[in-house]
Amino acid sequence: MQSLWVKIMSIDTWLNLVVFAFIGVMLWLYFKDVKDDSAEESH
Amino acid sequence: MFRNPLLLIAVAMTFAAAIWGIIDTQGLAKFAAEEVRTLFRYRGWFVMLTVTTLLLACIYLAVSRYGRIRLGKDDDRPEFSTMSWLSMMFAAGMGVGLLFYGAAEPISHFLFLSQELKPQEAASAALFVTHFHWGLHAWAIYGLTALVIAYFSFRRGMPQLISAPIKSTFPGEKWTKSVGWLVDLLAIYAIAIGLAGSVAMGVFQVQDGVAALFKWDGAGLGLSLTIFAMLVLAYIMPLTVDLSKGMALLSNTAIFISVGLMVFILLVGPTYFLMNGIVEGIGAYITNVIPQGFRTYTFFDNKVEEWFGGWTLNYMVWWLAWSPFVGVFIARISKGRTIREFLVGVLLAPTGFSIFWFGIFGGMGFFQGGAKKLDPAVIESNINQTTFLLLETLPLSSLTTVATIIAAFLFIVTSVVSAAYVLAMFSSAGDQNPSTKIKLIWGAILGILGLSMILSNSVSAVRQIIAMSAGPFVFIVILLMVCLFKCLKKESS
């Protein structure tokens, strides 16, 4: 139990958690519908 | 200036880093080394996955229907000829690093790898690893960042800021304001530290060149500081007046001298041996480049892990640190090109040149056991002497040493002037004509930061400090890629 706690609190776990969360957010942003804003289309 | 919080905070952050470096040089170097070791050990896989994904994304964009989209209006055409476009791009992206590492890197890898491999296998592997560091992966990082900036700037009319694609892709969403602001701040910080590191490395290079030329033993900090003072004087003036044509001339001169040096070594050295090495290097590169992008050396011992972190991961993060600066520069000269011709040019031409460059400089080190003759102890303790040790083995060494010193000096001056401009533009909300005062502030900060890194008197410490500053860019560049793909998909539909 103690070793699990040590693992959870380790920098390795937290850094990788950030990375996995980031990958998830990027996938979500890619597939997410965005509000259409005519101001962005200057072309 | 006081009404611009981004500028104030960016100046404060970079100035604090510079002061820390000057007051407690060893402390900063130690802190950076520990942070970078943690970053590479726990997120090395992510760095490699990111850069390989960027390369695959570039290849996909070049061959897909998106390749036909023009960076500008549909009737825009390129402003520069393809040759001058490629030459300017190469000077901005590689610059002084080529002179610094041309001979040193393949020889360093050879000395490390020959502990485990036969000499002939170690030489091939050393050249391949060097090509990998300076090849498609490096230019995919630059290329994709530049492509995103060029696409959103020339096709969608956004300012040339790293945050612009995020705001343009997700209009009206509140988070984009704060994330965009943070992204611009981190871009400024990464550029400032990355450029200051290159200034320090350039000064080390020039210092060892001068010492080799006049046979000075033990030329140390005094000479470094003299060269640094001359450098500051050389770049302050171009910041106060518009010398864009003059800067292009200096940059072209540096490239011309470097190419002349390369051709000289090829012709005066063992031409058949060097050409054989280049041809072999091309084959090895084509065969192994994609699998190498996924290698993390996880099943090897600590020594290999450190070598991989100190070279491969460090390079990839270094290119990331430079990517906002080089990205803006490449974007500015690429208006009117299609995505396909942009990516083919950005990826293939510099990679091809690098294979020739390192094939010639590295190959010279391998000729008749040259690497061993160059005294491994000196190379391991002072890597920046390698190029000059190599030149001493060839005729006209005084002339080639002077040429290398001049080229290194010109590369640093042009890089600092361009970087000060990009930093001023980023911190003035994308203003294409930032005020002289802001450019001078950034020129001064780059100088102080450069000084703090020179005081560390260690190439390794400089590389660690750069890697530490560029860490967040691993995330930012992926976000930019998502923005680009989302908008391209929308435009095509």
Side-chain angles (χ1 to χ4, degrees), chain B residues 366-389:
Chain B
F366 301 143
F367 184 61
Q368 293 178 346
K372 301 273 183 197
K373 288 181 201 163
L374 291 179
D375 191 352
V378 173
I379 294 167
E380 277 166 19
S381 63
N382 192 358
I383 197 169
N384 30 314
Q385 283 184 358
T386 316
T387 303
F388 300 109
L389 290 175

Side-chain angles (χ1 to χ4, degrees), chain B residues 305-445:
Chain B
E305 190 186 85
E306 271 178 33
W307 170 76
F308 172 66
W311 284 100
T312 305
L313 292 176
N314 209 300
Y315 263 117
M316 296 306 146
V317 174
W318 194 1
W319 304 136
L320 284 164
W322 271 55
S323 64
F325 158 54
V326 180
V328 167
F329 180 79
I330 297 177
R332 286 169 70 87
I333 59 173
S334 303
K335 187 178 180 184
R337 292 186 185 273
T338 62
I339 288 181
R340 183 167 301 133
E341 71 182 302
F342 173 86
L343 286 173
V344 168
V346 171
L347 291 183
L348 296 187
T351 301
F353 185 85
S354 294
I355 289 178
F356 264 84
W357 179 272
F358 288 103
I360 290 169
F361 279 81
M364 265 314 292
F366 301 143
F367 184 61
Q368 293 178 346
K372 301 273 183 197
K373 288 181 201 163
L374 291 179
D375 191 352
V378 173
I379 294 167
E380 277 166 19
S381 63
N382 192 358
I383 197 169
N384 30 314
Q385 283 184 358
T386 316
T387 303
F388 300 109
L389 290 175
L390 185 81
L391 292 176
E392 276 176 16
T393 65
L394 293 167
L396 301 174
S397 64
S398 299
L399 186 69
T400 49
T401 300
V402 171
T404 307
I405 293 170
I406 294 173
F409 198 82
L410 293 180
F411 272 133
I412 315 170
V413 171
T414 50
S415 293
V416 175
V417 173
S418 314
Y421 169 80
V422 172
L423 288 168
M425 190 182 81
F426 276 9
S427 51
S428 314
D431 183 356
Q432 300 274 328
N433 294 303
S435 73
T436 304
K437 193 171 81 178
I438 295 180
K439 281 194 284 184
L440 281 173
I441 288 173
W442 282 116
I445 288 178

Side-chain angles (χ1 to χ4, degrees), chain B residues 2 106 180 228 252 333 376 421 428 478:
Chain B
F2 295 103
F228 174 71
N252 288 341
I333 59 173
Y421 169 80
S428 314
I478 295 179

Side-chain angles (χ1 to χ4, degrees), chain B residues 163-361:
Chain B
S163 62
I166 304 166
K167 290 176 182 166
S168 172
T169 310
F170 304 99
E173 299 205 12
K174 283 179 189 161
W175 64 270
T176 57
K177 202 173 172 190
S178 49
V179 169
W181 188 87
L182 187 65
V183 162
D184 282 337
L185 182 69
L186 291 171
I188 292 172
Y189 188 69
I191 294 174
I193 304 274
L195 253 293
S198 294
V199 168
M201 286 173 52
V203 168
F204 294 151
Q205 176 88 357
V206 174
Q207 172 203 323
D208 280 308
V210 172
L213 191 64
F214 296 106
K215 314 278 181 221
W216 289 342
D217 285 331
L221 198 59
L223 183 57
S224 296
L225 294 177
T226 310
I227 294 163
F228 174 71
M230 287 166 67
L231 180 71
V232 173
L233 286 176
Y235 77 66
I236 285 293
M237 204 259 291
L239 287 177
T240 56
V241 283
D242 181 18
L243 283 180
S244 45
K245 280 189 182 161
M247 283 295 106
L249 181 70
L250 290 185
S251 171
N252 288 341
T253 308
I255 283 280
F256 183 76
I257 294 173
S258 306
V259 172
L261 205 60
M262 182 178 83
V263 174
F264 173 80
I265 293 175
L266 178 66
L267 297 181
V268 172
T271 311
Y272 76 96
F273 178 83
L274 300 178
M275 286 309 299
N276 281 345
I278 289 168
V279 172
E280 194 167 309
I282 293 171
Y285 188 71
I286 292 172
T287 317
N288 297 313
V289 63
I290 297 294
Q292 185 72 15
F294 290 98
R295 286 205 78 173
T296 57
Y297 294 90
T298 195
F299 305 118
F300 288 77
D301 59 18
N302 276 351
K303 208 167 70 174
V304 176
E305 190 186 85
E306 271 178 33
W307 170 76
F308 172 66
W311 284 100
T312 305
L313 292 176
N314 209 300
Y315 263 117
M316 296 306 146
V317 174
W318 194 1
W319 304 136
L320 284 164
W322 271 55
S323 64
F325 158 54
V326 180
V328 167
F329 180 79
I330 297 177
R332 286 169 70 87
I333 59 173
S334 303
K335 187 178 180 184
R337 292 186 185 273
T338 62
I339 288 181
R340 183 167 301 133
E341 71 182 302
F342 173 86
L343 286 173
V344 168
V346 171
L347 291 183
L348 296 187
T351 301
F353 185 85
S354 294
I355 289 178
F356 264 84
W357 179 272
F358 288 103
I360 290 169
F361 279 81

Side-chain angles (χ1 to χ4, degrees), chain B residues 75-117:
Chain B
D75 54 354
D76 278 344
R77 289 297 175 266
E79 290 173 59
F80 300 96
S81 71
T82 303
M83 267 316 287
S84 47
W85 177 61
L86 292 174
S87 150
M88 284 190 279
M89 181 165 69
F90 196 71
M94 299 305 181
V96 73
L98 276 179
L99 291 170
F100 197 91
Y101 284 110
E105 184 174 345
I107 293 172
S108 294
H109 293 322
F110 173 79
L111 294 174
F112 177 79
L113 294 168
S114 57
Q115 296 168 23
E116 304 285 335
L117 304 171

